[in-house]
């Protein structure tokens, strides 16, 4: 298991409120769109990261993590497992405090690299499920 309850709670409530959501676009049928709404309701600033750099949920989008001109606390990853490791490495380079791989996104080597760099990390979980499960409050 990649992310115990204490780590999940720490990422959701203790590591900061600016979440870069990689893979977030204006496509309402994608999971990232709905999860980003939940994160916003929970008090998080959601920053879309997508090649189209679209504005989503009122927030300016960026084509990459490196393009974001401010600090990011958590990088929430909605890309397939084959691409996720590179995103985790970008999160480390960006200075994020945590990386969250969504349901179905697993890269054990990326997990080890990210943890070795000192970041918290969760894999194969969804914050929209974990927030109510933990009884977390904004």
């Amino acid at each position: 298991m990649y992310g115990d309850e204490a780590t999940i709670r720490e990422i959701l409530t203790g590591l900061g409120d600016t979440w870069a959501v990689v893979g977030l676009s204006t496509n309402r049928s994608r999971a990232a769109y709905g999860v980003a709404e939940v994160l916003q309701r929970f008090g998080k600033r959601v920053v879309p990261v997508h090649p189209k750099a679209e504005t989503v949920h009122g927030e300016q989008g960026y084509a990459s993590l490196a393009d974001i001109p401010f600090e990011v606390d958590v990088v929430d990853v909605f890309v397939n497992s084959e691409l996720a490791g590179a995103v985790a490495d970008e999160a480390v380079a960006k200075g994020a405090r945590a990386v969250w791989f969504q349901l179905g996104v697993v890269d054990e080597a990326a997990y080890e690299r990210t943890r070795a760099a000192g970041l918290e990390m969760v894999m194969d979980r969804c914050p929209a499920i974990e927030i109510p499960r933990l009884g977390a409050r904004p």
Side-chain angles (χ1 to χ4, degrees), residues 15-105:
L15 291 184
D17 292 331
T18 301
W19 284 51
V21 181
V22 179
L24 176 58
S25 71
T26 57
N27 185 343
R28 293 172 181 262
S29 67
R30 303 288 304 203
Y33 192 89
V35 171
E37 280 184 318
V38 171
L39 288 168
Q40 278 188 323
R41 284 198 307 270
F42 188 63
K44 305 301 182 190
R45 178 182 184 188
V46 173
V47 181
V49 179
H50 189 278
K52 294 181 181 176
E54 299 171 308
T55 296
V56 185
H57 300 308
E59 284 285 346
Q60 168 64 48
Y62 298 90
S64 71
L65 288 173
D67 290 341
I68 301 173
F70 47 84
E71 290 186 9
V72 169
D73 300 308
V74 181
V75 176
D76 191 1
V77 182
F78 280 91
V79 300
N80 66 41
S81 297
E82 294 77 31
L83 302 174
V87 176
D89 295 340
E90 291 170 25
V92 170
K94 178 71 179 163
R97 301 171 74 192
V99 175
W100 190 299
F101 281 8
Q102 283 294 322
L103 289 173
V105 180

Side-chain angles (χ1 to χ4, degrees), residues 2-19 39 42 44 73-75 96-100 115 118-122 125 127 130-131 133-138:
Y2 296 95
D4 59 24
E5 193 165 311
T7 301
I8 291 167
R9 185 177 298 279
E10 176 69 7
I11 292 171
L12 288 173
T13 64
L15 291 184
D17 292 331
T18 301
W19 284 51
L39 288 168
F42 188 63
K44 305 301 182 190
D73 300 308
V74 181
V75 176
R97 301 171 74 192
V99 175
W100 190 299
R115 294 292 295 132
L119 282 69
E120 295 291 346
M121 186 164 178
V122 172
R125 304 294 280 269
E130 300 302 329
I131 288 168
R133 190 182 69 74
L134 292 178
R137 298 279 181 257

